[in-house]
Amino acid sequence: MSVLRVGNASGFYGDRFDAMREMLADGPLDVLTGDYLAELTMLILGRDRLKNPDAGYARTFLRQLEECLGLAHERGVRIVTNAGGLNPAGLADAVRALADRLGIPVRVAHVEGDDRTAAHPGTLAAHAYLGGFGIAACLRAGADVVVTGRVTDAALVTGPAAAHFGWGPTEYDRLAGAVVAGHLLECGAQATGGNYAFFQDGDVRRPGFPLAELHADGTSVLTKHDGTGGFVDVGTVTAQLLYETGGARYAGPDVTARLDTVRLSQDGPDRVRVEGVRGEAPPPTLKVGLNRLGGFRNEVAFVLTGLDVEAKADLVRTQMEPALGRITDVRWDLVRTDRPDAPTEETASALLRLVVRDADQQAVGRALSGAAIELALAGYPGFHVLAPPGKGAPYGVFEDVYVPHGAVDHVAVLHDGRRVSVSPPPDQHTAVPAPVPEPPLPQPLPPGPVRRAPLGLVAGARSGDKGGNANVGVWARTDDAWRWLAHALTADRFRELIPEARDLPVTRHRLPNLRALNFVVEGILGEGVAAQARFDPQAKALGEWLRARHLDIPESLL
C-alpha cells in the first residue's frame, strides 16, 4: 500500500501556535497529529475541571483548528490529537460546533474509556494510557478528526498506521515500527534540531516540525517539510529516540518495541531511515497515571553578594528557623554563582533558595511572606530577594499504578454516534519476559595519552522525566568514541559525575546499534514534575550537566 505521511504539530500544551498551519501549508500530509498531554498537563486540566465541569481539554487546539480546519479539509488531511485530555467528548462536541459555524463538513469521532478517576478516590485525575486501536476504529469508519484523552503518545501514530495498512493486533514488528516512529514525532521539534546537544550543526532558530513516511512493513523515514528550519540527521533522531525511555524494551498497550533492534541511517538531506524494529506482545496491564494535590508550596531566593557568602547563608537559616518549625518540608539550596573580584554585581552574587511545602496554605504563606520579608532591615548586609514570595501555590504529586486491560472500557465513539468496543490485545506477556541479554561491549580503544576534558566534546545526551525517575541517554558520534564510552561511562562513574545520584539506584542499558547508553536514575525527581522537588524538576538539563563534567578522554578522540 502507499506510504502514509504522518506529521506532528504539537509536542506539549503550549507549543508553537502556528505549527498546525505551517504543517498543513508547507507540504503534503495524510495525517496530522498533535500531542498536548504530559503528567503535569493532566494536573492542570484537572484543576480546570474543578472550576468548570465542561472544561478539561486543551483549548489551544480549538483555537488552532479555527484557523486550520478549512485548510485540512481542502487538502484531505485527517487530524488525530490527544487534546481531549480529561474531556474528549466535550472537545469533540466543540469541534463539531466549530465546523458547523465555519460551514465545513467534518466527521468528528472520539475515544474514551481512559478515565479511572472514580476508581481512585482522592485523585484529581486518574487516567489509563490506551493504545491506538480505538483511533484506528474511528479512522476506518471515516472520521476526519479524532479526539482522544490519555493515550500513549505513540498511539497517535500507531492508530493511523493500523487503519491505513490494515494491521491486526498481533503484527508486532509492524506495530513496533510505528511505535518508534510515533515516539520520534511526539515531541515535535525535538526531532528536528530542537533541544539538541550539537545544535550548532545546523540552523535551529526556528526548527520545522517533523513528519514520518511510514511503510506497510513498519519501516519509516523521519523527515520534515522542504524549506523549513532545523535539520534531521542520525544524531537528532538518536537523541529523540533515547528521550524518556528505559532499557531495551519499550512497553506499550499495543506492543512492546525492542529499542535494541532499531537501526538508523542517513537517507539523504534531512531524511533518516528507521528500520529493523522488532516487536513483542504487550504486557498484561495498562499504566494508569494518578495525579493528586500534594499540598501547597512557596519559595524565595535570597541574594547574597560579595564576601562571607557561607556565613550570610547561615545567618538567614538561623533567623528563619523559628518560622519554619511547623512546616512539613523545608529545603535550602545555596547556589554559588558568585566569583571573586567580580566585575558586575550579578557575578558577585550567590542565591540561597528556600522552598517550603505543607498541607496548610496559610502556613507556607506566613512562613515566607511574613518572616522572610521582615528580615529586610535586620538581616545580612546587602539583603534582598529576587522576588517577594506569594501566598503559596498548590503542587501536585504523580504516581503510576497498573490495571489489567480488561479493567478499562476502551471505546471508539464514531462520527455517527455508534460506540465500538476495542478488545484487549489477544496475546499478552502474562509472565515477566526473560531479560534481554546484555549486548557485548565493543573492543576497548588501545591505550594512549588522555586529556582532562568535558564529556560533551565526544558524546551527546538527552534527558527527561518519568514520574519520579529521570533518564539520561548518552550517545557517541563515532565508532571509536563508542568503544571508549561503553567502557568509561559505567553506572558507578555516572554516580561520581552526578553527585545527586550517588545514593540512588542507577541502571545502565547498552544500545550498541545506536552507539548509546541509557541511564535510569530512580527517585531523583521525588514525587514527579508537579511537586517541583528539584531545581530542574523535569531533568531536562541533566544530560547537559553530565556533558559538562570532565573525564580523562583519549586525545585521539579530541
Side-chain angles (χ1 to χ4, degrees), residues 91-246:
L91 180 55
D93 286 342
V95 172
R96 292 186 190 98
L98 173 66
D100 288 345
R101 179 162 59 83
L102 297 176
I104 300 170
V106 172
R107 293 166 294 194
V108 183
H110 74 274
V111 177
E112 60 185 40
D114 60 301
D115 193 343
R116 300 276 301 165
T117 308
H120 297 275
T123 59
L124 195 57
H127 290 260
Y129 288 70
L130 302 180
F133 279 94
I135 296 170
C138 294
L139 293 172
R140 285 170 177 156
D144 302 304
V145 178
V146 181
V147 172
T148 78
R150 179 76 277 189
V151 296
T152 64
D153 300 338
L156 300 177
V157 174
T158 59
H164 181 78
F165 296 116
W167 294 340
T170 59
E171 297 188 63
Y172 294 133
D173 289 348
R174 292 180 171 93
L175 288 168
V179 163
V180 169
H183 179 61
L184 293 173
L185 291 181
E186 71 186 52
C187 289
Q190 274 197 174
T192 56
N195 296 352
Y196 182 53
F198 305 106
F199 63 95
Q200 296 177 90
D201 285 358
D203 184 353
V204 296
R205 287 174 294 178
R206 188 179 173 84
F209 275 60
L211 63 94
E213 299 170 356
L214 281 95
H215 298 264
D217 62 356
T219 62
S220 63
V221 172
L222 204 290
T223 183
K224 63 185 184 68
H225 286 321
D226 291 341
T228 57
F231 62 104
V232 179
D233 65 16
V234 169
T236 66
V237 174
T238 298
Q240 177 56 28
L241 186 58
L242 294 171
Y243 181 64
E244 293 184 347
T245 60

Side-chain angles (χ1 to χ4, degrees), residues 151-503:
V151 296
T152 64
D153 300 338
L156 300 177
V157 174
T158 59
H164 181 78
F165 296 116
W167 294 340
T170 59
E171 297 188 63
Y172 294 133
D173 289 348
R174 292 180 171 93
L175 288 168
V179 163
V180 169
H183 179 61
L184 293 173
L185 291 181
E186 71 186 52
C187 289
Q190 274 197 174
T192 56
N195 296 352
Y196 182 53
F198 305 106
F199 63 95
Q200 296 177 90
D201 285 358
D203 184 353
V204 296
R205 287 174 294 178
R206 188 179 173 84
F209 275 60
L211 63 94
E213 299 170 356
L214 281 95
H215 298 264
D217 62 356
T219 62
S220 63
V221 172
L222 204 290
T223 183
K224 63 185 184 68
H225 286 321
D226 291 341
T228 57
F231 62 104
V232 179
D233 65 16
V234 169
T236 66
V237 174
T238 298
Q240 177 56 28
L241 186 58
L242 294 171
Y243 181 64
E244 293 184 347
T245 60
R249 286 190 170 98
Y250 188 63
D254 297 322
V255 65
T256 298
R258 287 285 298 270
L259 299 184
D260 58 327
T261 64
V262 180
R263 296 196 306 272
L264 305 177
S265 58
Q266 201 71 36
D267 193 49
D270 291 322
R271 293 176 62 83
V272 172
R273 182 167 296 279
V274 185
E275 56 192 344
V277 188
R278 302 298 303 273
E280 300 172 348
T285 56
L286 292 172
K287 176 180 172 180
V288 178
L290 307 182
N291 289 272
R292 60 180 173 82
L293 291 176
F296 296 88
R297 179 184 181 280
N298 208 350
E299 72 171 274
V300 63
F302 301 91
V303 183
L304 314 175
T305 303
L307 305 178
D308 306 318
V309 165
E310 297 281 355
K312 289 171 180 173
D314 288 343
L315 176 59
V316 177
R317 293 189 188 100
T318 301
Q319 289 180 308
M320 288 293 297
E321 190 173 327
L324 302 176
R326 295 184 179 179
I327 301 294
T328 303
D329 183 18
V330 177
R331 182 185 298 257
W332 293 94
D333 289 301
L334 177 59
V335 184
R336 296 301 300 265
T337 51
D338 57 307
R339 66 190 72 170
D341 194 21
T344 65
E345 185 173 332
E346 288 88 346
T347 55
S349 299
L351 297 177
L352 178 64
R353 184 166 171 256
L354 168 62
V355 177
V356 296
R357 293 181 180 83
D358 197 90
D360 183 351
Q361 184 176 20
Q362 290 189 342
V364 298
R366 284 194 305 267
L368 268 65
S369 52
I373 299 307
E374 286 173 3
L375 295 178
L377 303 180
Y380 57 85
F383 180 99
H384 65 287
V385 297
L386 285 184
K391 298 178 180 179
Y395 72 89
V397 173
F398 177 87
E399 63 179 308
D400 51 56
V401 298
Y402 292 83
V403 299
H405 285 264
V408 171
D409 253 342
H410 188 176
V411 176
V413 184
L414 307 184
H415 64 277
D416 57 9
R418 286 180 294 149
R419 299 175 65 85
V420 177
S421 291
V422 180
S423 301
D427 298 325
Q428 301 161 30
H429 273 309
T430 53
V432 177
V436 175
E438 189 78 353
L441 286 166
Q443 287 294 316
L445 283 181
V450 298
R451 188 191 322 157
R452 198 79 175 163
L455 172 64
L457 295 183
V458 296
R462 169 75 57 79
S463 56
D465 64 301
K466 279 294 181 185
N469 302 339
N471 94 288
V472 184
V474 186
W475 77 95
R477 305 185 84 183
T478 66
D479 289 339
D480 280 351
W482 167 240
R483 291 171 63 189
W484 170 77
L485 182 72
H487 291 272
L489 193 58
T490 63
D492 286 341
R493 178 62 58 83
F494 183 97
R495 288 189 187 93
E496 292 173 11
L497 297 173
I498 305 295
E500 282 182 82
R502 282 182 180 165
D503 298 321

Side-chain angles (χ1 to χ4, degrees), residues 46-78:
R47 292 176 60 191
D48 286 349
R49 189 170 60 173
L50 282 179
K51 300 172 189 172
N52 177 3
D54 294 329
Y57 55 77
R59 289 166 292 183
T60 303
F61 169 75
L62 207 56
R63 297 202 306 272
Q64 290 172 300
L65 204 61
E66 184 163 9
E67 286 187 7
C68 299
L69 189 58
L71 185 57
H73 177 68
E74 173 189 315
R75 299 200 165 201
V77 179
R78 292 166 142 184

